[in-house]
Amino acid sequence: MYLITTLALLALSGRLHAQVYRCGNTYSSAPCAGGRSVDTSPALSAQGGGAGTTTLYLCQSYGGGQFWALEHCSQRSALVERMESVPSGMPFDQQVQMAQAQRAKSAALTAPPEPTTRIESYTPSKASQCTALDARIRYLDQMARAGGNASYMDRIATDRKQSRDQQFRMRC
């Protein structure tokens, strides 16, 4: 039983690394006319993702300070604040400067827009205020004619009196 399992695994592993050919829009394990071979080996990447890059970690210590590190922040008893991918062929100081520039650029993109300047407040003309007060008084008269309980009618009367007083002060 062990021998059969081993032979099956060897045969299967040979198929996994078999050559693959692209024939137009299809793929095949057998060569075809005009076909080309395709590399099916898994892509190997450097630390941080892309080839030739490394990941810098901005760590937040439990005391409140921040620092950049090449290794994960948990190895220094800190929390990860941010991760930035930088080229690996540079000195650490230049990598940190590049990571800080990327962080600043990202912060600028996510910052809320600056508030626009406020336009001077609109002051309606005396004629439009008088028209609005007249419309308000007509509306309150309609509400009074519809009726209601005593407190409702008192509120309508008070609002109507205030509107009439405003009309008188404005000399409408």
Side-chain angles (χ1 to χ4, degrees):
M1 180 69 175
Y2 177 73
L3 181 61
I4 294 172
T5 307
T6 306
L7 288 174
L9 285 176
L10 286 175
L12 184 60
S13 67
R15 286 187 193 154
L16 290 177
H17 298 292
Q19 187 65 38
V20 175
Y21 299 93
R22 180 172 182 182
C23 304
N25 290 333
T26 61
Y27 293 90
S28 172
S29 59
C32 57
R36 60 181 186 162
S37 67
V38 178
D39 182 20
T40 59
S41 62
L44 298 176
S45 63
Q47 176 186 6
T53 62
T54 188
T55 300
L56 283 185
Y57 298 92
L58 179 59
C59 302
Q60 177 84 33
S61 69
Y62 292 115
Q66 291 184 336
F67 58 92
W68 289 95
L70 286 170
E71 64 273 352
H72 197 275
C73 299
S74 63
Q75 295 177 354
R76 293 191 177 195
S77 298
L79 301 172
V80 176
E81 180 73 24
R82 186 170 186 85
M83 296 173 5
E84 291 290 346
S85 293
V86 294
S88 59
M90 304 172 121
F92 181 70
D93 294 339
Q94 289 179 351
Q95 288 176 336
V96 168
Q97 289 175 352
M98 184 174 281
Q100 288 173 336
Q102 291 172 0
R103 180 179 179 218
K105 184 177 178 183
S106 175
L109 291 173
T110 59
E114 293 184 20
T116 57
T117 57
R118 187 171 183 182
I119 300 173
E120 294 296 322
S121 62
Y122 170 74
T123 305
S125 68
K126 180 179 175 182
S128 64
Q129 287 179 352
C130 288
T131 304
L133 283 170
D134 191 43
R136 172 85 176 145
I137 291 170
R138 277 189 271 122
Y139 175 71
L140 291 170
D141 287 342
Q142 288 176 352
M143 290 174 56
R145 282 192 294 275
N149 63 20
S151 63
Y152 179 72
M153 296 302 285
D154 283 344
R155 186 179 62 87
I156 292 174
T158 303
D159 287 351
R160 187 176 187 285
K161 181 182 182 320
Q162 289 174 350
S163 296
R164 280 289 187 197
D165 289 346
Q166 181 70 24
Q167 268 186 328
F168 180 75
R169 282 191 296 273
M170 292 180 62
R171 302 184 201 285
C172 292

